[in-house]
Structures are given as structure tokens and as C-alpha cells.
């Protein structure tokens, strides 16, 4: 019987693949709209250690059903300093387990019902009034369309067995030899890298296997390669991000690559084990079932789904003990002196366990605010191009922004109903100092950023160094007098004052040896210096308004 390639193969395969991919997109979009922000916050809280990272990665990826979204989210959290590299490695491992839950669901024989449920949930989506119900319907509709698309692909791929030319090509994909298995894995990795979805690749492989175009062992070999190809997305996402974000992507690549190599080496023993396991799930996946007069292989998707689950769990169990080795090796990639500098994104003194102990929580907050103030000195080091200073002020600014949020959250929890009026006044004053410190570091960041961005003539640099030098003296004096018990600032350099800043402005305007093209940048920098100095004075006044030590208040704390 002659096969109508367009009607019997091209239309259902292309249509089924499109519906399958659209279903993945709808399900991903619906679930992420419902939960991605909560999942991101949960990930930031949970993944403090590699073991917690594995759990968080497994659970959250199982919920949002996208290892790609999970790895990109992880790379982003590492880039902002919310998540450490060590915890991120655990998350990557867990994401590989979490995504296999979706592969297992895809293997369920629900294809004929996909269109029915897709239509029902599409109707709900169109008439739903609330965003929440719309997102639930969108996710459910996507889930149903995945099965319907897979069912269409399976039906469209069956006639390929009647085309000798196609079967001659596919017969070259032989998994009976180790070279053949490796070739299949490489082809699958390339396909996955192009379409950025391991689930889509595995869905296609399931369809080919169920149609009998690929034998089930070859389908398994393709599923192995899909895990390697999916790493390309996290690598692309990390290209313009921080070194640790790039290292997270490298961890994803290394973990999957090592896992694939190990499983490829154990492929044939693993197939024997899977053959035994399939006895509990319906029998030999290579035995066809006749449906409407045509042979089909419904157990191949089940075998692929089971192998994917066991493959990723095995890899995590195998490589988890080497998390510390992964971290040490990855930290050597692109290592520079700057990385030895202090990480200001992570609080050093804020201990939430002592929040209920007022006389321990208050000094902790005071020390953390003083530490944030000291970080402002680093911006001036950048502006003066001191040896060992960071090269990118934006990274320090992002770290301090994270620290400021932690300080604000901590201080908000210090207010309690049983505090006395004096205790509340002390906390309020410290909160104001923290706020002024945040504004000061923002101004210092602007100074460092502008100085790094512009090129100045020797005359312009002289004026600039004079202003930055005086600002550095003011800040150093403030930092030196930030110790516990200080209520009077000693050795404070005299403020330049508005008249002095005005004189500096006129020096820039009148200077004949300063090019006109750089006068605007210098004037903007002088404005930033004036704002920074006024904030230093405001912090000093706030410290003098309330005794930071207040031994009697702390002693009487509840």
C-alpha cells in the first residue's frame, strides 16, 4: 500500500509536534504564573546547603515542570548573591530529578483523551474571570495538549515503517554497539540544544518509539543525550552575568556530562535491569500491540520515562558526595584577586536566633550597619583606583543592596509590643542611620561608577582627587567612631561646606586646562560628593541624637 506522505505523515507529525510544544509552553506559563515568584522565594530560603538544594530543586522543578526555567532561575539568584555556589550545585542536581517527574507523566497512555480535556480547559480559560483560574486552566490545557500532540505524532510516525528509504536511515541508529549508543546520545543532545527543551526531545523520542520507528533501546539512548543538550540554555543565560553565575552554568554542564558518560558506560547492564523492571509495568516494551489493525508499542514511552527517572536519581546519588570537589574546581575558573574581597551580600552579624533577645539583637544590627558603612569606603577605593579594589562597582552595589534589604527586614522584626519607649527610640534611630547609610553608599556608588566610566585630564584629575580625598577623610573618621559606646565623634575633619563646593565648581568652570568635554562629568561628581558629605553629617547627627550604647536600656530589656 502506497503511503500519502503529506496527509499521513507530514500533517500529523508537524501538527502533533506543534501541539506538543504549545502544550509544554501553556503548561509552563500557567504553572509559573501561579507559583514562580513563590518558588523563587522558597528556593532562596531553602537552598542554604547542598542537601537542602537537592530537595528544593527536586520539589520546585517538579511543581513548575521546567528544568530550563529552574536552572535559569538558579543562575539568576546566584548572580544577585541570594544563592551561594555550593547550594546552587545541589539545586542543579535536584532539578534533574524534578524534571523526570514530567517525563514520567508524559509516558501515561492518555493521548486520546488529550483533545477532550484540552477543549474543556480551553473553554474554562476563555470564560474564567479571575487570573488565578485562568492560569490553572492554561496549565491544565497545556498538560492535555501534550498528550494529544504526542498521540498525533505517534500516529503520523507509524507509516514511516513502510518507507524503505526512511527505515534505511533510521536503521543506522543502532544501539546494539557502544559507538551506536554514543552516536544516538550526541544526536539527541544536538536536537535538544536547538529546541532548548529536553522534555520536547523525549516526547519526540517516545512518539518514534511508540510508533515502532525506533526500537526501545535506541529510544533510551536518545533520552540520555537529551539531558546533555538541555545544559546549553543555562550556559546562554549566564553569558553576561557574574562569575559565580557562570560557574553555576558550568556546574550544570559538568554534572550532566559526567552523569551521561557514566550511564553510557553502564548502558547495557542498565538495559538488562530495565528489562527486568518493565516486568512490573506490563512486560517487554519491544512486543507490539495491534490497535486498529496497526502495530504499536505503548510500553516504549513507559520504559523511556522510567529510565529517565532512575538515570537522574542514580546520577545524583553518585555525584552528590563530590559537591565540595565540584565547588573547589569551579571556583578556580576565572578566579581573580577581587573574589578574595569580602562578600557584602551576606550578613555577618544579623542572627535571627537572637531577635527575641533585645540586648543581643541591637548590637548585632549596630555592627551590621557599621559594616555596610565600611563598604562605602570600597567605592572610594575604586574611585581612586587603589590597588586591590574591585574593578566593577556595580557588583558591590548589588551586594550592598541585598545587605540593605536584610538589615531592613531584621530591624522591622525588632519592634515588639513589650518594648519600652526608650527602647523603641533606640531602634528607630538605628533604622534611620541604616537608611542614611544606604543613601550614602548609593551616592558613593555613583561617584565610583562615573569616575570609572570617564577619562579625565591631569588638571581634572587633580580637582577630582582633592574632592574624593576630603570625602575619604570624612568617611574614615565616621567609620572609626562607629564603635560600641561612642556618643561623641572625635577628630572629625571640617566639612567643606556649600561655599567650598561652590568654589570647586567655579574652579572647574574657569579652568582653561580642563577640556570642556569633561567639565560636565566633573560638575556632576562634585554634586554627588556634596550629597555624600551631607549624608555623612546626617549620620553623625543621628548618632549623637541617641546614645548607641544605652547600657541601662539594654540591661532592662525583656
Amino acid at each position: 500500500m502506497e503511503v500519502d506522505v503529506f496527509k499521513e505523515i507530514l500533517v500529523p507529525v508537524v501538527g502533533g509536534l506543534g501541539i506538543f510544544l504549545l502544550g509544554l509552553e501553556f503548561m509552563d506559563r500557567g504553572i509559573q504564573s501561579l507559583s514562580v515568584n513563590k518558588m523563587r522565594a522558597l528556593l532562596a530560603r531553602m537552598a542554604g546547603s547542598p542537601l537542602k538544594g537537592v530537595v528544593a530543586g527536586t520539589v520546585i522543578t517538579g511543581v513548575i515542570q521546567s528544568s530550563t526555567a529552574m536552572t535559569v532561575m538558579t543562575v539568576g539568584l546566584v548572580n544577585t548573591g541570594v544563592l551561594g555556589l555550593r547550594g546552587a550545585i545541589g539545586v542543579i542536581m535536584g532539578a534533574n530529578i524534578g524534571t523526570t517527574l514530567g517525563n514520567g507523566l508524559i509516558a501515561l497512555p492518555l493521548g486520546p483523551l488529550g483533545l477532550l480535556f484540552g477543549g474543556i480547559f480551553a473553554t474554562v480559560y476563555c470564560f474564567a474571570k479571575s487570573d488565578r483560574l485562568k492560569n490553572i486552566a492554561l496549565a491544565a490545557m497545556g498538560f492535555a495538549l501534550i498528550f494529544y500532540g504526542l498521540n498525533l505524532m505517534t500516529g503520523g510516525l507509524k507509516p514511516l515503517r513502510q518507507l524503505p528509504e526512511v527505515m534505511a536511515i533510521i536503521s543506522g541508529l543502532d544501539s546494539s554497539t557502544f559507538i551506536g549508543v554514543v552516536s544516538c546520545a550526541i544526536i539527541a543532545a544536538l536536537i535538544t540544544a536547538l529546541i532548548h527543551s529536553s522534555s520536547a526531545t523525549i516526547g519526540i523520542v517516545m512518539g518514534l518509539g511508540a510508533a515502532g520507528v525506533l526500537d526501545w533501546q535506541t529510544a533510551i539512548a536518545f533520552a540520555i543525550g537529551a539531558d546533555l543538550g538541555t545544559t546549553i540554555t543555562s550556559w546562554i543565560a549566564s553569558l553576561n552575568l557574574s562569575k559565580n553565575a557562570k560557574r553555576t552554568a558550568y556546574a550544570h554542564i559538568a554534572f550532566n556530562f559526567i552523569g551521561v558518560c557514566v550511564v553510557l558506560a553502564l548502558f547495557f547492564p542498565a538495559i538488562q535491569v530495565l528489562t527486568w523492571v518493565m516486568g512490573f509495568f506490563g512486560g517487554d516494551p519491544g512486543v507490539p500491540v495491534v490497535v486498529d489493525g496497526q502495530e504499536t508499542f505503548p510500553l516504549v514511552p513507559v520504559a523511556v520515562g522510567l529510565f529517565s527517572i532512575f538515570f537522574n536519581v542514580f546520577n545524583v546519588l553518585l555525584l552528590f558526595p563530590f559537591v565540595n570537589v565540584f565547588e573547589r574546581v569551579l571556583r578556580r575558573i576565572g578566579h581573580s584577586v577581587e573574589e578574595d574581597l569580602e562578600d557584602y551580600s551576606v550578613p555577618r552579624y544579623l542572627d535571627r536566633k537572637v531577635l527575641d533577645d533585645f540586648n543581643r539583637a541591637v548590637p548585632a544590627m549596630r555592627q551590621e550597619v557599621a559594616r555596610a558603612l565600611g563598604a562605602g569606603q570600597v567605592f572610594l577605593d575604586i574611585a581612586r583606583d587603589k590597588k586591590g579594589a574591585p574593578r566593577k562597582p556595580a557588583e558591590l552595589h548589588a551586594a550592598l543592596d541585598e545587605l540593605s534589604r536584610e538589615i531592613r527586614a531584621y530591624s522591622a522584626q525588632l519592634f515588639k509590643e513589650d518594648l519600652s519607649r526608650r527602647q523603641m527610640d533606640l531602634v528607630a534611630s538605628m533604622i534611620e542611620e541604616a537608611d542614611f547609610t544606604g543613601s550614602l553608599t548609593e551616592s558613593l556608588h555613583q561617584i565610583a561608577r562615573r569616575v570609572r566610566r570617564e577619562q579625565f585630564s591631569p588638571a581634572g584629575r587633580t580637582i577630582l582627587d582633592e574632592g574624593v580625598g576630603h570625602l575619604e577623610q570624612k568617611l574614615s573618621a565616621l567609620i572609626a567612631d562607629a564603635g560600641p559606646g561612642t556618643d561623641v565623634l572625635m577628630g572629625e575633619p571640617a566639612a567643606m561646606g556649600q561655599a567650598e563646593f561652590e568654589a570647586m565648581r567655579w574652579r572647574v568652570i574657569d579652568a582653561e586646562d580642563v577640556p570642556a568635554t569633561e567639565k560636565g562629568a566633573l560638575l556632576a561628581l562634585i554634586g554627588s560628593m556634596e550629597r555624600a558629605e551631607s549624608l555623612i553629617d546626617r549620620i553623625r547627627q543621628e548618632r549623637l541624637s541617641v546614645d548607641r550604647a544605652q547600657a541601662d536600656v539594654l540591661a532592662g530589656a525583656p
Side-chain angles (χ1 to χ4, degrees):
M1 184 178 67
E2 188 174 344
V3 176
D4 186 338
V5 175
F6 180 77
K7 183 179 178 181
E8 297 182 43
I9 298 177
L10 194 62
V11 170
V13 170
V14 174
L17 178 60
I19 291 173
F20 179 87
L21 294 175
L22 188 64
L24 283 174
E25 175 69 20
F26 282 172
M27 185 177 70
D28 182 49
R29 190 182 303 174
I31 292 176
Q32 290 198 48
S33 296
L34 284 169
S35 60
V36 72
N37 290 331
K38 293 179 181 177
M39 294 298 105
R40 185 181 290 109
L42 180 63
L43 176 61
R45 290 198 306 270
M46 286 182 62
S49 67
L51 182 58
K52 291 179 180 178
V54 170
V55 174
T58 302
V59 172
I60 296 173
T61 308
V63 171
I64 67 175
Q65 275 306 295
S66 175
S67 62
T68 299
M70 186 66 185
T71 51
V72 170
M73 184 192 305
T74 304
V75 167
L77 289 174
V78 172
N79 183 63
T80 58
V82 174
L83 190 61
L85 177 61
R86 193 160 175 265
I89 294 172
V91 173
I92 294 296
M93 291 181 175
N96 279 24
I97 297 176
T99 193
T100 59
L101 301 177
N103 296 337
L105 291 173
I106 292 173
L108 296 175
L110 301 177
L113 298 175
L115 186 59
L116 172 64
F117 286 108
I120 292 172
F121 289 114
T123 304
V124 173
Y125 177 81
C126 291
F127 290 97
K129 300 299 182 182
S130 69
D131 289 339
R132 179 176 177 79
L133 184 57
K134 275 183 173 292
N135 288 325
I136 292 173
L138 185 65
M141 177 175 61
F143 192 62
L145 291 180
I146 287 172
F147 293 109
Y148 180 61
L150 187 59
N151 189 60
L152 280 178
M153 279 194 293
T154 300
L157 291 168
K158 287 177 184 176
L160 288 178
R161 287 181 292 173
Q162 301 176 34
L163 300 177
E165 300 85 358
V166 174
M167 293 307 294
I169 296 173
I170 293 178
S171 63
L173 303 173
D174 184 11
S175 62
S176 62
T177 65
F178 180 73
I179 298 298
V181 173
V182 173
S183 300
C184 292
I186 291 174
I187 292 171
L190 293 174
I191 294 172
T192 306
L194 288 173
I195 64 179
H196 298 299
S197 174
S198 59
S199 295
T201 301
I202 289 176
I204 295 170
V205 169
M206 286 179 175
L208 288 168
V213 177
L214 288 179
D215 69 81
W216 72 278
Q217 295 185 22
T218 304
I220 296 295
F222 269 85
I224 294 173
D227 267 19
L228 184 59
T230 193
T231 60
I232 192 69
T233 305
S234 59
W235 176 72
I236 292 173
S238 72
L239 287 178
N240 293 321
L241 300 182
S242 67
K243 288 181 181 178
N244 269 348
K246 288 185 176 70
R247 288 167 182 154
T248 303
Y250 298 151
H252 188 205
I253 295 170
F255 173 72
N256 284 26
F257 180 78
I258 294 172
V260 166
C261 289
V262 171
V263 172
L264 286 176
L266 300 174
F267 181 79
F268 295 107
I271 289 295
Q272 293 179 0
V273 174
L274 182 61
T275 302
W276 175 76
V277 172
M278 285 300 298
F280 299 95
F281 290 89
D284 186 351
V287 175
V289 175
V290 178
V291 178
D292 297 329
Q294 290 187 321
E295 288 186 345
T296 186
F297 296 81
L299 290 181
V300 173
V302 177
V304 172
L306 284 174
F307 185 87
S308 182
I309 292 172
F310 287 116
F311 160 51
N312 284 285
V313 171
F314 172 76
N315 282 343
V316 171
L317 293 175
L318 179 68
L319 297 176
F320 182 78
F322 302 98
V323 168
N324 291 335
V325 177
F326 267 89
E327 184 186 20
R328 285 197 302 270
V329 172
L330 289 168
R331 287 200 179 278
R332 293 176 184 172
I333 299 175
H335 184 270
S336 64
V337 176
E338 291 182 28
E339 293 183 63
D340 297 327
L341 299 173
E342 183 172 358
D343 181 6
Y344 286 99
S345 65
V346 181
R348 180 190 296 175
Y349 303 105
L350 301 183
D351 185 355
R352 297 189 181 278
K353 295 178 182 178
V354 304
L355 272 170
D356 293 328
D357 187 349
F358 190 82
N359 62 358
R360 293 175 63 191
V362 169
M365 182 180 170
R366 185 169 65 233
Q367 287 177 292
E368 202 66 65
V369 172
R371 177 171 173 254
L373 185 64
Q377 180 75 56
V378 182
F379 284 122
L380 296 181
D381 292 342
I382 296 173
R384 304 193 77 175
D385 200 22
K386 284 191 175 181
K387 185 178 180 180
R391 311 304 298 174
K392 297 180 180 179
E395 293 184 2
L396 176 60
H397 177 256
L400 283 174
D401 187 55
E402 293 294 330
L403 183 60
S404 294
R405 283 202 288 269
E406 291 287 342
I407 291 173
R408 286 196 297 270
Y410 193 86
S411 62
Q413 296 180 65
L414 281 178
F415 278 109
K416 293 182 173 61
E417 294 181 357
D418 56 353
L419 294 183
S420 68
R421 192 166 183 270
R422 290 186 63 194
Q423 289 168 343
M424 288 189 176
D425 181 42
L426 173 60
V427 175
S429 178
M430 290 171 57
I431 290 174
E432 287 191 57
E433 181 182 338
D435 185 59
F436 291 136
T437 298
S439 299
L440 173 61
T441 55
E442 177 66 35
S443 293
L444 296 176
H445 166 245
Q446 292 300 324
I447 292 171
R449 185 175 65 88
R450 285 173 177 151
V451 171
R452 294 286 300 172
R453 189 176 57 190
E454 304 288 344
Q455 293 291 330
F456 296 99
S457 63
R461 190 76 206 192
T462 298
I463 297 173
L464 180 62
D465 287 342
E466 181 182 325
V468 173
H470 185 85
L471 191 59
E472 188 173 34
Q473 290 180 18
K474 290 272 294 183
L475 183 59
S476 296
L478 186 67
I479 293 170
D481 289 321
T486 300
D487 57 358
V488 177
L489 297 178
M490 304 299 294
E492 178 71 14
M496 287 184 68
Q498 187 174 359
E500 285 78 3
F501 279 110
E502 189 67 22
M504 187 180 290
R505 289 190 184 94
W506 280 110
R507 280 178 59 193
V508 172
I509 294 171
D510 294 335
E512 295 181 359
D513 50 354
V514 175
T517 53
E518 71 180 58
K519 287 185 177 181
L522 281 172
L523 292 171
L525 281 164
I526 291 170
S528 295
M529 291 177 201
E530 187 174 13
R531 284 191 296 275
E533 184 157 315
S534 67
L535 285 166
I536 290 174
D537 291 334
R538 187 65 188 86
I539 293 171
R540 177 177 180 273
Q541 293 167 12
E542 187 59 47
R543 288 183 182 173
L544 293 172
S545 68
V546 178
D547 177 11
R548 286 291 184 269
Q550 294 210 26
D552 57 330
V553 173
L554 294 177

